[in-house]
């Protein structure tokens, strides 16, 4: 019997090639889209879960308060915290403290490698994390000072040539930074896995810093350290967190140090990548809400593909009714017919699944470029979910989908009475029509929602990119500070000479320097006061020279800009600061002018307010403008150069900058960027999400169009005789088209009424994650509805025009 079902199904597919092609294509597009999304989502959801102890590892997070106002939410805190928690709470079975170095270079035998940043850790690092050590003893690597571990990629750059094993290089001296600090190579580690949120190129022993930072080893005053703990297998983490209030009361000295108070809580390592919105983040992160939104889109797409099968199968049922009648006359039972059509559904879904796998493989490179990941279908299918390989789940989903999408058409077709089927009096079930209309309303509502979502993502991204930032970043080139030139007594004067030489070029308008670039997280100054009895406040801080504000054309609304005499290499002789307007309001000044020439107290001494700038954005519009001070500190070797150029002969200008850089910093590394491009990179994740969302929205709408194609065809066939009668009585083609499209327009109206409130709720929820939001106007609601209406009418009219134009005699002759 099963063999007969297969033969019948294949015969039916050959007989109805167009119908079969549309059905299989719709299903395969749906399965392809959902597989691609789930492949991406599974990769994102499993970041950091490869660590053996991942379920028991937590980060110690903190919230810093001034009174009742939270002024900082992040994970940097005091170096003593991790060790003290380990000693105080038996639930904690291991810990390590991590700190970071910024951009640097390492050198061995004239082979130099630029390092974006370095992490410094303690011996428990390799016990808690499951990174593979290729050479060296992971248990003792970080037991001593001046030890370095490099990734395999970095090792290949330091030791080019034939690799005979990394062990032969252990013990060699690696020099770091312009000071040529010597480290012993103690190990080689695998490159940071793509599914690790903690990325690295070199890892140093944290004990190295104990010699030159008094607060590094164990202190309640130095707050630039990150702590990771591992709890016992069955530890009650909530109960542990409840003890942290007493921990703060016992040890915390923030009131004495910064005028703040600190609260602690734990964040699971497995939540870091997708559910972190913290300041001074040292892990790579992504948006969990975006991932779950895409998973929801995948579910909708798959549902729409199976709904299409139902609509297309039932629309074809009218042409197969006589086949059913003949089979019943020759003895086929209803159960046998149901089984036949379920097998047909399974075979169609199987063909679509095979085609979808092909599509996924063909589109692999394109999709990987789109999402910025290295995804592999075989790795995905062999990954485990609840101890079962994902390919088992996929096969199960295929059977479930085949059954769900096939069961209704199977019962519709098998329920026809033989006498009615052979006479042609069938297909009048109002319940069946109601179900099909309900499914199409669902598809319309989803299509409207997806179009609205596409518009919203585009509008919000454009809104953030095109807002006035209060600074002019166009035509500004940033040059990274020299990495190999030693910082000495001549360095600051060399900086002045370098900037002066650049400004002598007519194509260079202005040059400035700063310790931070736009888009980066700024350092903070705590306990800033306007007087001995005043409340202390927290301000963000930029170290900048006298040319910085001019380069970016920042408006000075009161007082003056820095001048060269405000700077001094001796920190204790620097006395002036500039505030932004928001800082003056926080400090209690009614007008910006009132702040000028007043004294502020921070860093243990008085400072004079030299000027006030208009508020400007230092980071993306996802963040609000924060109270800010600019200080004329000369960071020397860490200062970035900001160079405003004109449009003339840009390539020649860059060549001149590089040549001048080489003149003042010979044999150093020259690296430059365009500031507007650098700032724009903050929106990369949003643009990527928009591109992914747009792609799958188009695919979902295409699938919905196929479903509408089927239902429109069903409606036209069902009303063939009615159309013939109306034409005999004088109805015109426009009258017929209006009659056929009226029901669909009502369905679109119903879908809009259902979908728009949900769309508005979803839009406001998504926008709540942005500090600055685009407006939701009439355009946002009208465009999706008009788009769906236009697309639907085009499909409906295309499907029904042939029926409306046909000779009524042919349709009435069937009676």
């Amino acid at each position: 019997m099963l063999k007969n079902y297969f033969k019948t199904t294949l015969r039916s597919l050959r007989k109805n090639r167009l119908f079969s092609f549309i059905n299989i294509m719709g299903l395969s597009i749906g399965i392809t889209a959902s597989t691609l999304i789930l492949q991406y989502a599974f990769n994102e959801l499993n970041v950091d879960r490869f660590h053996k102890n991942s379920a028991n590892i937590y980060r110690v997070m903190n919230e810093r308060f001034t009174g009742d106002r939270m002024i900082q939410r992040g994970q940097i805190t005091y170096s003593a915290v991790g060790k003290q928690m380990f000693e105080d709470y038996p639930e904690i079975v291991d810990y390590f403290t991590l700190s970071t170095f910024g951009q640097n270079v390492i050198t061995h035998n004239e082979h130099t490698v630029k390092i974006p940043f370095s992490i410094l850790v303690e011996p428990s690092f390799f016990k808690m994390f499951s990174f593979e050590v290729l050479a060296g003893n992971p248990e003792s690597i970080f037991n001593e000072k001046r030890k370095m571990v490099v990734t395999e990629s970095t090792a290949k750059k330091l030791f080019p040539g034939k690799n005979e094993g990394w062990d032969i290089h252990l013990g060699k001296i690696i020099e770091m930074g312009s000071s040529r600090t010597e480290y012993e190579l103690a190990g080689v580690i695998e490159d940071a896995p793509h599914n690790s949120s903690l990325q690295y190129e070199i890892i140093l022993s944290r004990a190295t810093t104990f010699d030159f930072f008094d607060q590094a080893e164990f202190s309640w005053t130095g707050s630039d350290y990150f702590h990771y703990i591992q709890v016992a297998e069955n530890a009650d983490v909530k109960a542990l967190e409840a003890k942290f209030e007493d921990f703060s009361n016992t040890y915390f000295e923030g009131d004495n140090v910064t005028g703040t108070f600190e609260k602690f809580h734990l964040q699971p390592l497995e939540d870091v990548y997708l559910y972190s919105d913290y300041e001074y983040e040292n892990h790579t992160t992504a948006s969990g809400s975006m991932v779950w939104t895409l998973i929801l889109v995948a579910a909708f797409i798959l549902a729409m593909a199976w709904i299409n099968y139902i609509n297309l199968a039932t629309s074809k049922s009218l042409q197969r009714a006589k086949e059913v009648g003949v089979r019943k006359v020759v003895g086929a039972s209803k159960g046998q017919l149901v089984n036949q059509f379920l097998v047909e559904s399974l075979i169609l879904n199987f063909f679509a699944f095979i085609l979808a796998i092909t599509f996924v493989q063909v589109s692999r490179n394109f999709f990987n470029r789109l999402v910025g990941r290295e995804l592999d279908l075989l790795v995905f299918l062999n990954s485990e979910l609840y101890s079962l390989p994902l390919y088992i789940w996929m096969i199960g989903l295929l059977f479930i989908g085949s059954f769900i999408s096939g069961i209704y058409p199977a019962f519709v077709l098998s329920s026809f009475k033989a006498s009615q089927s052979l006479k042609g009096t069938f297909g009048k079930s109002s319940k069946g029509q109601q179900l099909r209309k309900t499914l199409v309303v669902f598809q319309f509502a989803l299509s409207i929602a997806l179009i609205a979502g596409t518009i919203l993502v585009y509008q919000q991204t454009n809104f953030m990119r095109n807002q006035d930032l209060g600074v002019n970043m166009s035509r500004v080139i940033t040059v990274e500070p020299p990495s190999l030139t030693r910082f000495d007594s001549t360095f600051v004067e060399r900086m002045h000479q370098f900037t002066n030489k650049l400004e002598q070029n007519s194509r260079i308008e202005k040059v400035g320097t700063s310790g931070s670039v736009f888009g980066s997280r700024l350092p903070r100054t705590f306990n800033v006061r306007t007087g001995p009895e005043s409340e202390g406040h927290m301000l963000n801080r930029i170290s900048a020279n006298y040319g910085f504000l001019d380069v970016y054309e920042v408006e000075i609304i009161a007082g003056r800009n820095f001048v060269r005499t405000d700077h001094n290499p001796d920190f204790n002789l620097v006395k002036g600061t500039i505030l932004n307007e928001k800082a003056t309001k926080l400090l209690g000044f009614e007008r910006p002018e009132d702040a000028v020439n007043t004294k502020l107290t921070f860093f243990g001494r008085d400072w004079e307010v030299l000027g006030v700038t208009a508020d400007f954005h230092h980071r993306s519009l996802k963040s609000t403008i924060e109270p800010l001070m600019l200080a004329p500190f000369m960071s020397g070797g860490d200062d970035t150069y900001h160079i405003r150029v004109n449009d003339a002969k840009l390539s020649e200008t860059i060549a001149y900058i590089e040549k001048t850089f080489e003149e003042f910093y010979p044999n150093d590394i020259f690296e430059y960027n365009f500031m507007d491009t650098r700032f724009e990179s903050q929106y990369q994740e949003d643009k990527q999400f928009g591109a992914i969302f747009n792609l799958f929205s188009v695919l979902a709408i295409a699938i919905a169009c196929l479903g509408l194609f089927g239902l429109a065809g069903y409606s036209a066939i069902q009303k063939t005789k009615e159309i013939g009668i109306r034409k005999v009585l004088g109805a015109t083609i426009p009258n017929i088209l209006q009659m056929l499209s009226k029901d669909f327009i009502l369905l679109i109206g119903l879908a809009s009424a259902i979908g728009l409130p949900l769309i508005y709720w979803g839009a406001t929820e998504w926008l709540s994650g942005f500090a600055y939001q685009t407006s939701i106007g009439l355009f946002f609601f009208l465009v999706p509805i008009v788009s769906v209406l236009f697309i639907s009418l085009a499909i409906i009219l295309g499907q029904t025009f042939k029926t409306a134009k046909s000779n009524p005699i042919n349709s009435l002759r069937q009676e």
Side-chain angles (χ1 to χ4, degrees), residues 509-633:
E509 298 176 2
K510 193 66 181 175
V511 181
T513 65
S514 73
S516 307
V517 296
F518 287 96
S520 63
R521 170 64 68 180
L522 295 176
R524 289 175 167 173
T525 301
F526 293 93
N527 209 18
V528 179
R529 299 176 183 271
T530 56
E533 304 301 322
S534 65
E535 180 184 0
H537 294 281
M538 183 275 296
L539 302 182
N540 289 274
R541 185 180 74 252
I542 299 178
S543 302
N545 86 332
Y546 50 87
F548 177 77
L549 294 176
D550 289 336
V551 168
Y552 291 101
E553 300 176 358
V554 176
E555 181 184 2
I556 302 288
I557 58 176
R560 65 171 176 84
N561 193 358
F562 292 134
V563 294
R564 183 163 176 172
T565 53
D566 292 322
H567 301 278
N568 198 298
D570 185 346
F571 168 81
N572 295 313
L573 297 180
V574 179
K575 300 178 180 179
T577 184
I578 293 175
L579 306 177
N580 70 349
E581 189 172 4
K582 191 163 187 176
T584 63
K585 292 177 181 177
L586 178 66
L587 293 170
F589 297 104
E590 291 187 7
R591 301 178 306 156
E593 294 84 356
D594 297 338
V596 177
N597 297 327
T598 60
K599 300 292 184 183
L600 300 180
T601 302
F602 56 92
F603 293 152
R605 57 189 177 89
D606 289 342
W607 298 70
E608 181 182 358
V609 178
L610 304 176
V612 179
T613 72
D615 288 336
F616 60 88
H617 290 273
H618 188 270
R619 299 175 67 221
S620 77
L621 268 74
K622 294 179 182 180
S623 308
T624 59
I625 294 176
E626 297 179 310
L628 173 71
M629 68 162 63
L630 292 96
F633 300 150

Side-chain angles (χ1 to χ4, degrees), residues 433-458:
Q433 292 179 16
Q434 192 63 41
L435 176 60
R436 287 189 292 275
K437 288 180 179 179
T438 300
L439 294 176
V440 170
V441 167
F442 175 74
Q443 287 187 317
F444 281 149
L446 284 182
S447 299
I448 290 169
L450 290 171
I451 293 173
T454 300
I455 293 170
L456 182 66
V457 172
Y458 176 80

